[in-house]
Amino acid sequence: MGTAPIALLVRHAHTHASDLQLAGRTPSIHLSERGTMELLRVRDQLVTVPLEAVYSGPLARARETAEPLAVDHGLSVDIEDDLNEVDFGDWTGATFAALASDPRWQAFNAHRSAASVPNGERPANVQRRAVMLLTRLAARHPHGIIALVSHAEVIRSAILWFAGRSLDDFHQVSIDTASVTAILMSPTPRVLFVNAVDGCDAIARF
């Protein structure tokens, strides 16, 4: 083990809603056939990593990704509400095609740091809960490696905070389904790698 904890942020695997609609907190969205294959890949990537704990957001697609990872390491999944998807309020379930002409959606994607979601959660609040959770879990696992299964916006928000960048830079950070991102949670946190997929050497070093 190292001298500081490492958080591996895993985006849930692919669903039928991925890239088509803003699923948000819609219940009962499950992994697709493609997602099942992606899950096999990420399990293979992490099976030799000495995970100390596996955490997941409460939605089905996150839990379905987290549970096999936990089983591989003889662990149970700890559910953390702060890993939940963004509450997209009135936009929940809308297709991206339908949202494209909404000026509120355009503003949301132009200046994320000051944006709001109609009857939903502000991006700044999403970032705050993600960062506070990572800080708490780092204190709980001071020398271990932990996996946290969440959603693209939550993971992206945390990366930007620990990289010292604005939420307005969100479009510069890709978070693919079933990708792995690592943050060294030292007194001066450092993003080790972002959006790792398919046989990433960085993961193999753990």
Side-chain angles (χ1 to χ4, degrees), residues 52-163:
E52 189 170 295
V54 176
Y55 295 91
S56 174
L59 293 176
R61 58 194 188 269
R63 290 187 285 103
E64 289 172 3
T65 302
E67 285 163 4
L69 302 181
V71 167
D72 288 344
H73 293 84
L75 300 168
S76 58
V77 176
D78 292 314
I79 301 299
E80 285 283 353
D81 286 341
D82 285 336
L83 291 173
N84 203 0
E85 175 62 290
V86 178
D87 180 355
F88 280 109
D90 295 349
W91 292 335
T92 300
T95 65
F96 292 112
L99 287 168
S101 60
D102 187 332
R104 300 171 301 175
W105 177 251
Q106 294 167 6
F108 178 78
N109 289 302
H111 300 290
R112 189 66 59 87
S113 61
S116 60
V117 175
N119 295 310
E121 189 177 17
R122 292 178 61 85
N125 291 340
V126 175
Q127 185 177 64
R128 184 177 299 110
R129 66 172 161 90
V131 170
M132 290 179 66
L133 175 65
L134 282 166
T135 302
R136 290 199 305 272
L137 294 182
R140 186 181 302 173
H141 303 278
H143 305 292
I145 301 174
I146 59 175
L148 302 91
V149 181
S150 190
H151 305 266
E153 284 299 312
V154 180
I155 294 170
R156 188 179 288 116
S157 295
I159 292 167
L160 290 170
W161 174 270
F162 288 113

